[in-house]
Amino acid sequence: MVRVRAAVLPAVGSPLEITDIDLPEPGPGQVRVRLAAAGVCHSDLSLSDGTMRVPVPAVLGHEGAGTVVSVGEGVGHVAPGDGVVLNWAPSCGRCHACGLGEVWLCGDALTGAGAVYARRADGTDLYPGLNVAAFAEETVVPAACVLPVPDGIPLTDAALLGCAVLTGYGAVHHSARVRTGETVAVFGVGGVGLAALQAARIAGAGRIVAVDVSPRKEGLARAAGATEYVVASDATARDIRKLSGGHGVDVAVECVGRAVTIRAAWESTRRGGRTTVVGIGGKDQQVTFNALEIFHWGRTLSGCVYGNSDPATDLPALAGHIRAGRLDLAALVTDRITLDGIPAAFENMLAGRGGRSLVVF
């Protein structure tokens, strides 16, 4: 048993508590990891406020990378001392979705979130948020939740590969399938949105429009690849159509998860274009369409889970872009913080400030 510091969500809607927890040694098929860094994602905020449900009390954090400390019986693909990226949604390889090759839709991906994995110092059982409990100095995870860090990628930067980059890159390359010369609009300039902007540039998009409620994010967006910047308003869709010859963009990628933003992304897309929704919204966020407009516009509206990515195959591809200088992980990060800074990072996300906050251990 080892005692480490962690950010614990005691109950839905409660403030995070930075406290000591007790981790067991890894059992069969498990790996203990010392975290180097963990990204603070909007999904963590969605878990804390109940938009997404997991058992509590829980240690949140699902985007991280670190070094293997020890492994349990039967683990052969990593060893102590190896750098690893945490994979919060491991595919089982057996369910219907996995059989179709759609591993991002694995029906058993989150079963680990329902199993007690550690205890508070007072003996209270703890659950691992989205499987990996990255908001802690160390964690114990199923072996399927760790992937070797590609050669040449610093561990601290590699944390971002676990969610923001796989999601943003995958939304552009796998879901929307952006082609050379196409026009793209990305709604929401947070960590995922910044990754999507870089991915659109890598894909060879022509005009790339970034949309956000904050005018202060324009510099971040343009550095990531945006050629135009629109401050969100009631006229967002009209503004984007003006920037794209009156037709609308070929592809819109929504990274916010609000009904009004999804609707604006749809209306920004040209006739026959594609709208991909990455943002996770609550059940109260109802989006409506009438039957005539669906017929008339001929647009495709699709959801996107984890960027429709397969981390086992996408991580090597992303590593190639990083080593070639096409993908800049550090540019996604606007704040480097400690565990104690996570509550403030949540407040920044609610206020629409900054890009990715990164917990550095």
Side-chain angles (χ1 to χ4, degrees), residues 112-232:
V116 172
Y117 93 111
R119 288 181 173 82
R120 295 187 70 145
D122 64 5
T124 304
D125 289 343
L126 289 171
Y127 297 91
L130 291 180
N131 280 331
V132 297
F135 287 168
E137 294 169 330
E138 295 187 12
T139 188
V140 174
V141 299
C145 288
V146 296
L147 294 165
V149 171
D151 291 340
I153 311 301
L155 266 182
T156 303
D157 290 348
L160 300 166
L161 295 172
C163 183
V165 177
L166 276 170
T167 301
Y169 177 88
V172 168
H173 286 266
H174 301 318
S175 180
R177 299 182 183 274
V178 173
R179 300 182 288 266
T180 300
E182 287 192 314
T183 53
V184 177
V186 175
F187 287 71
V189 184
V192 173
L194 288 169
L197 288 169
Q198 290 203 44
R201 174 176 47 75
I202 291 169
R207 180 162 283 171
I208 303 173
V209 184
V211 184
D212 198 274
V213 295
S214 172
R216 295 188 297 274
K217 292 187 179 181
E218 181 171 358
L220 280 173
R222 289 189 180 276
T227 60
E228 315 286 346
Y229 192 81
V230 171
V231 178

Side-chain angles (χ1 to χ4, degrees), residues 84-100:
V84 292
V85 176
L86 298 180
N87 174 17
W88 63 269
S91 57
C92 70
R94 301 179 302 274
C95 70
H96 181 67
C98 288
L100 294 173

Side-chain angles (χ1 to χ4, degrees), residues 16 68 91 243 271 283:
L16 292 179
V68 174
S91 57
L243 290 172
R271 197 174 187 188
K283 293 180 180 179

Side-chain angles (χ1 to χ4, degrees), residues 33-38 64-67 84 134 136-137 154-157 159 358-361:
V33 178
R34 180 179 300 114
L35 273 295
T67 303
V84 292
E137 294 169 330
L155 266 182
T156 303
D157 290 348
L358 189 69
V359 181
V360 179
F361 295 92

Side-chain angles (χ1 to χ4, degrees), residues 290-318:
N290 66 60
L292 180 61
E293 69 176 319
I294 292 174
F295 158 77
H296 173 76
W297 290 103
R299 296 165 173 146
T300 299
L301 176 68
S302 61
C304 178
V305 177
Y306 203 6
N308 293 7
S309 293
D310 179 355
T313 57
D314 284 326
L315 283 182
L318 289 169

Side-chain angles (χ1 to χ4, degrees), residues 18 75 127 178 205 208 218 235-236 264 327 340:
I18 312 302
V75 177
Y127 297 91
V178 173
I208 303 173
E218 181 171 358
T236 295
L327 180 60
D340 299 284

